[in-house]
Amino acid sequence: YLAKIVWAFAKLDHDSPKLFEAVSARVIRKRDKLNPRDIANTLWAYATLDHDSPDLFEAVSARVINKLDTFESQDITDTVWAYATLGYDNSDLFEAIVSEVVTKLEKWNGEDIIKLVWSLALIKANTKSITPIFSHLSTQHQANRLILSEEEMYQLHQAHLWFNIEGNENCLLPKDLTDKCLSVFVSREDIAYVRNDL
């Protein structure tokens, strides 16, 4: 029930530091009893409200790793997004997540995959096995099974750049997909640049 409470506070954009500190302490004590959805919702709420709680994130990381095979794709992406949003790097957790995801890519939708790689790029995760995820996206695109929103193309472009340049990975995407993502990125950046000039 605590996960639902902090999730509701975050959905309403209502931070309550005392409540979040109390929930954090309780979740740390009870972390071995939390299910994947409760973990993901709790971490998502803390990140959404920018509520700093490194002890909570560190404490639940072992639980996430141990129960990773029971996490749904949304639970995983919300969890990684929360770590990335608050800037909590946890290389053991991220490596375990990528390894798990690679084995289940056929069950994941494009939106969740892109949210995952974008979040990993945002936190500058040093994962060693991200290339198969980009290969899967390429295969899905070439089979016309990958339909992306502009936001997803924007995020995919950022993740693709980071992993290829900064992460020294060889994450190739088809040229037409790369061009579409670049076009969305450039148009958004041009709009932001113009707005900043005004």
Side-chain angles (χ1 to χ4, degrees):
Y1 69 95
L2 292 175
K4 290 178 181 170
I5 291 170
V6 292
W7 178 87
F9 271 71
K11 284 298 273 186
L12 295 170
D13 196 25
H14 181 75
D15 195 7
S16 176
K18 287 183 181 180
L19 171 70
F20 275 71
E21 288 166 21
V23 168
S24 179
R26 177 122 174 140
V27 167
I28 289 170
R29 284 194 311 277
K30 303 286 187 180
R31 67 184 172 266
D32 292 334
K33 295 183 177 161
L34 295 173
N35 66 48
R37 185 76 254 161
D38 287 344
I39 291 170
N41 281 344
T42 300
L43 299 180
W44 177 88
Y46 278 72
T48 298
L49 292 175
D50 198 26
H51 189 90
D52 196 33
S53 188
D55 293 340
L56 169 66
F57 280 72
E58 183 59 35
V60 299
S61 65
R63 174 75 173 168
V64 173
I65 291 170
N66 291 335
K67 290 295 192 177
L68 205 47
D69 62 330
T70 65
F71 275 61
E72 298 291 330
S73 60
Q74 185 180 355
D75 301 331
I76 291 173
T77 57
D78 287 351
T79 297
V80 174
W81 177 86
Y83 276 83
T85 298
L86 289 174
Y88 297 144
D89 191 4
N90 188 316
S91 57
D92 292 339
L93 173 64
F94 299 148
E95 198 62 49
I97 285 173
V98 169
S99 295
E100 178 70 20
V101 169
V102 165
T103 68
K104 296 180 177 179
L105 281 170
E106 290 302 321
K107 297 178 183 176
W108 278 55
N109 64 48
E111 178 183 350
D112 286 340
I113 293 171
I114 290 166
K115 185 176 178 182
L116 173 68
V117 296
W118 181 79
S119 296
L120 290 168
L122 181 65
I123 194 66
K124 299 179 180 161
N126 187 15
T127 58
K128 307 216 179 342
S129 53
I130 198 84
T131 302
I133 296 175
F134 280 94
S135 295
H136 176 76
L137 287 170
S138 294
T139 302
Q140 294 293 16
H141 172 72
Q142 291 167 336
N144 293 319
R145 289 184 290 209
L146 186 64
I147 300 168
L148 303 176
S149 69
E150 282 195 8
E151 180 67 19
E152 291 160 350
M153 285 190 272
Y154 183 81
Q155 291 175 338
L156 181 56
H157 178 74
Q158 291 175 314
H160 185 247
L161 279 179
W162 191 86
F163 282 110
N164 277 291
I165 296 170
E166 299 295 329
N168 294 316
E169 294 285 332
N170 188 21
C171 305
L172 299 177
L173 291 174
K175 182 171 179 1
D176 65 318
L177 179 56
T178 303
D179 290 346
K180 287 178 188 175
C181 293
L182 175 61
S183 178
V184 168
F185 181 82
V186 169
S187 69
R188 282 196 175 185
E189 293 301 310
D190 284 346
I191 290 168
Y193 181 75
V194 169
R195 283 186 184 146
N196 288 336
D197 268 0
L198 297 178

